[in-house]
Amino acid sequence: MKLVAKNTTIDLSQPKIMGVLNVTPDSFSGDGVVDTEAAVAYAGRMIDEGAAIIDVGGESSRPGAAPVSEAEELSRVVPVIKRLARIPKLVISIDTYKPAVAEAALKAGAHIVNDITGLSDRRMAELVAKTGAGVVIMHMKGTPQTMQTHPQYDDVVAEVIGFLEKRVEVAKQAGVGEDHIMLDPGIGFGKTLEHNLVLLRELPKLINAFTEPFLIGVSRKSMIGMVTGREAPVDRVYGTVALTALAVRDGARIVRVHDVAANRDAVAMAQALYGQK
């Protein structure tokens, strides 16, 4: 299994770690940095700890987060991506739903577009096709401002599968190759605790519904705090590690995390026990 992203092919025969780099002052996880030098140094630490991909985001998507302007987002992410692009063999992802930001990031050296809106703007699909970038298509119900206002589903697994099927078709109609696509069920994005637990419990069903590989992002999320009682996101590392190991066991090919070293060990142990799905 592989993901093609511009001139790079990412071998997913072994799961990969995607490190989260929030170039924002208001990240939910408490790890946001706004200075370019600090952001590059932080990325370097994650790479040293085992991250193969760095996911750069310039706008917080925490519940209730206020959107930022296109110009502000560009000013945050482009200088960082230009610096990271100098690092040999590093794969860079841009976490944005704005086509103009994605285009500038890809020109600066990014390889993957991580779109939390699941290509809701068709121009994003067309951009990915034109540039040969990789893309993460994520499910989200509503927007970051509204997504946690009483989200409801008749069957959350079936509805997430149906959404992703439609968005994959949009991508392919725009000319995106199947091996450029990765899927994300959007844990915590318009879901209650029970919705999240059901999706993770039924992850094999989700994965088996597609030929495209899956990315799972649960790192430090509020669902872990709800279960463990850990209020501060930085205290949710152990819960994250547990879910990382289970997700890899069930077939996730990329895990998006803040605490790279701990989750790298979880991936290694899950692989040793269960091997490739």
Side-chain angles (χ1 to χ4, degrees), residues 121-137:
D121 188 330
R122 186 176 176 83
R123 292 176 300 167
M124 189 71 93
E126 293 168 349
L127 173 67
V128 170
K130 180 179 72 174
T131 59
V135 64
V136 179
I137 300 175

Side-chain angles (χ1 to χ4, degrees), residues 4-277:
V4 179
K6 289 173 65 177
N7 58 349
T8 299
T9 299
I10 305 162
D11 178 10
L12 297 178
S13 61
Q14 300 291 321
K16 296 294 188 291
I17 299 280
M18 174 185 278
V20 180
L21 183 59
N22 291 314
V23 193
T24 63
D26 55 349
S27 168
F28 89 92
S29 56
D31 65 339
V33 289
V34 293
D35 176 74
T36 297
E37 292 298 328
V40 172
Y42 186 50
R45 290 194 294 274
M46 290 193 287
I47 295 163
D48 289 343
E49 291 175 353
I53 306 166
I54 298 295
D55 190 40
V56 183
E59 178 178 337
S60 176
S61 57
R62 76 186 193 285
V68 302
S69 70
E70 197 173 274
E72 177 65 22
E73 191 175 350
L74 284 166
S75 72
R76 293 174 178 180
V77 301
V78 169
V80 174
I81 291 170
K82 285 181 176 179
R83 289 284 301 279
L84 294 179
R86 302 174 189 171
I87 300 173
K89 298 183 180 179
L90 177 65
V91 176
I92 304 166
S93 170
I94 174 64
D95 182 356
T96 189
Y97 56 88
K98 301 184 180 83
V101 174
E103 183 172 18
L106 292 169
K107 287 180 179 177
H111 305 84
I112 298 170
V113 176
N114 183 8
D115 184 353
I116 64 170
T117 70
L119 302 179
S120 63
D121 188 330
R122 186 176 176 83
R123 292 176 300 167
M124 189 71 93
E126 293 168 349
L127 173 67
V128 170
K130 180 179 72 174
T131 59
V135 64
V136 179
I137 300 175
M138 195 191 83
H139 174 275
M140 176 172 61
K141 195 178 186 76
T143 68
Q145 294 74 43
T146 65
M147 64 187 182
Q148 292 307 109
T149 306
H150 309 298
Q152 296 182 3
Y153 300 85
D154 293 326
D155 182 334
V156 67
V157 174
E159 290 179 45
V160 169
I161 289 174
F163 173 91
L164 292 175
E165 286 175 339
K166 290 177 182 176
R167 305 321 294 174
V168 166
E169 187 58 30
V170 167
K172 290 180 178 178
Q173 287 178 356
V176 179
E178 183 175 346
D179 57 0
H180 290 251
I181 299 171
M182 175 162 275
L183 305 177
D184 180 349
I187 300 300
F189 284 81
K191 284 106 179 163
T192 64
L193 171 61
E194 185 56 32
H195 294 145
N196 291 321
L197 293 174
V198 168
L199 286 168
L200 290 168
R201 194 178 298 130
E202 298 294 330
L203 186 56
K205 182 176 180 180
L206 278 165
I207 289 174
N208 290 335
F210 297 90
T211 56
E212 294 83 4
F214 266 72
L215 177 152
I216 297 296
V218 295
S219 184
R220 299 188 183 183
K221 289 191 173 177
S222 61
M223 65 165 291
I224 297 171
M226 293 175 191
V227 172
T228 64
R230 305 286 185 184
E231 293 187 11
V234 294
D235 293 333
R236 299 172 188 163
V237 180
Y238 301 125
T240 301
V241 164
L243 292 178
T244 289
L246 293 169
V248 169
R249 178 198 66 182
D250 290 339
R253 307 319 296 162
I254 294 180
V255 287
R256 182 181 182 274
V257 300
H258 302 84
D259 305 284
V260 172
N263 284 280
R264 178 214 161 272
D265 289 356
V267 169
M269 293 309 303
Q271 278 294 98
L273 283 168
Y274 301 107
Q276 181 182 353
K277 289 287 183 180

